[in-house]
Amino acid sequence: MIASCLCYLLLPAARLCRALSRALSDAFFTCRKNALLAKSSSPQVEGDFAMAPQGLDQEECEGLLQQWREEGSSQVFSAVSEGPLVDKGLAQSSLALLMDYPGEQDAASEDKWCSRQLSDLQAAENLEEPSPEVLGEESLPEGEGPMWAAVPMQAGPQYADCTILPMGALAAEEWEEDPAVVAWSLAPEPMPQEEAPIWSFEGLGQLQPPPVEIPYHEILWREWEDFSTQLDAQGLEAGDGPQFQFTLMSYNILAQDLMQQSSELYLHCHPDILNWNYRFANLMQEFQHWDPDILCLQEVQEDHYWEQLEPSLRMMGFTCFYKRRTGCKTDGCAVCYKPTRFRLLCASPVEYFRPGLELLNRDNVGLVLLLQPLVPEGLGQVSVAPLCVANTHILYNPRRGDVKLAQMAILLAEVDKVARLSDGSHCPIILCGDLNSVPDSPLYNFIRDGELQYDGMPAWKEDFSHQLYQRKLQAPLWPSALGITDGCQYVTSCHPKRSERRKYSRDFLLRFRFCSIACQRPVGLVLMEGVTDTKPERPAGWAESVLEEDMSEPEPEPEPVSPRTIGTIQHCLHLTSVYTHFLPQHCRPEVTTMPLGIGATVDYIFFSAESCENGNRTDHRLYQDGTLKLLGRLSLLSEEILWAANGLPNPFCSSDHLCLLASFGMEVTAP
């Protein structure tokens, strides 16, 4: 009797298990496709939903028993034994259930049987179902109800009136091809939420990337790091004394001509986001969002500047100065400021090209402005020191460090001339731009430390080609004909002005009218009657050599020769970087650009700051606030974050560089 019952139910159980296996597989892919799973505890579902299967009625059982008798029990067991591992496990589970419940199953036993079969299926298939939180679903209520759920039908006309789809349509291999959504799926059991998968980057340890679904503006979110105390509405600080606060942005906006000339660097970008009109709108939106008082731009294409950028920035309240690169180049540098905050004192464009000098045969340029901050009238008779702002774009070639150092020496000499005060000191200085040099490179160390011993140094330490022979720098780095000393100052600026020069009155000079030299007729003088035909007569009492000995003018002093230190260049501007070039919260270096997927820092903002003495040495990385104080900065990003945003440019950031933004304060003093 038991064997008869076993054979009676084993055949439909095996068929039902195969259907369950296919349905579970389809449920997994349904979750992967983010299909909406409708949860229903009722067996009756209205609308375009399929009906939940019920238990086998008496007529179906008798029909299956008759079919089994005709086919033979041997075929049943062979089909079960030759089936896949899932069917074998399900058959064994069915046998155990039949032994436990040999009689007629009621509703409770049927629910228990379904739950046990589902657990066996999950163990056999070894599927990792996503947690409800990941799919945006609510957790299933706990209970003993059937573990079935309905899925909306999005099928073609052939499935319009069907309650159960053919098993062939539920095959996982056909999911990508078939537009129809599976009618039935097994609802996932509530499972504890697992940690998100960790992406491993070669040589970088374990990282936790943001999900792809996060918008670009959230991936590229940059924090404002505030170093100041509370400021009032006028931008002045009430701590030790009032301050004039302003913000400065430095940004390489990627000239369209240069981007098209190096299109191989931007193959990862969709063509639409490389369109200039799209990029221009993004850049203007970025300017409006951060609203800096001073804007220093690099790679500004000339026609775009005059036709779009300058008119738009003028409407935003900026006064702009532009310097195009020399030669046939179409881009340059621009410095823009708000006339409501500053008044222009002077503007000095700087060209690094020097005809006849091989060291300086490149077309890079710079721009130096001297601005006078405008203090609010309510503060009374107070004054603020002028501010010198320098913007430049240095040569890119990593193998020509000598050219980079010479270009920077010319810029520092111009800054020294513009920022020098009457007492020989310098007003506050901000030097920014794209220097095409990484932190701790020779050029960076020279700007930060104020000194560089270059004699014998490889032509550039940023050249990673590992060539057997590398050209070394030799002293002097640039010829004396350049007119710049090793202290990065113009030769004329180094010479002290002659003081206490003799001044002669008119009466004193008239006493030379009758000296011997004045009474001699000049050779070749044309004889004119009444004009040059007479010889002046010396009045009585006038000596021939009157005052000649006394008035012998002293010989001019020889011009001082500026001494040149062998193999060392220096400057006295005391500059330090706004950024530290390291993200402590991520334990990763900061990145300002990402060519070919490799992050690097090449953009900087340097400002005047006094170094702090630490023991017997001076650490130039440590500085103390002087006349110019750093109040805040916009944080940079790491290479991994930019990877998650598909690098630069992207739909959110329309340049291959990140913008740099810093806030400064200047002391306001009484006259």
Side-chain angles (χ1 to χ4, degrees), residues 390-411:
N391 179 29
T392 187
H393 191 182
I394 298 297
L395 176 70
Y396 163 74
N397 192 342
R399 302 185 182 183
R400 293 308 303 269
D402 51 348
V403 176
K404 297 184 181 184
L405 290 173
Q407 290 181 349
M408 182 55 60
I410 295 176
L411 181 66

Side-chain angles (χ1 to χ4, degrees), residues 143-162:
E144 299 181 357
M147 297 296 292
W148 294 88
V151 177
M153 289 281 293
Q154 299 178 0
Q158 65 272 25
Y159 299 131
D161 300 324
C162 295

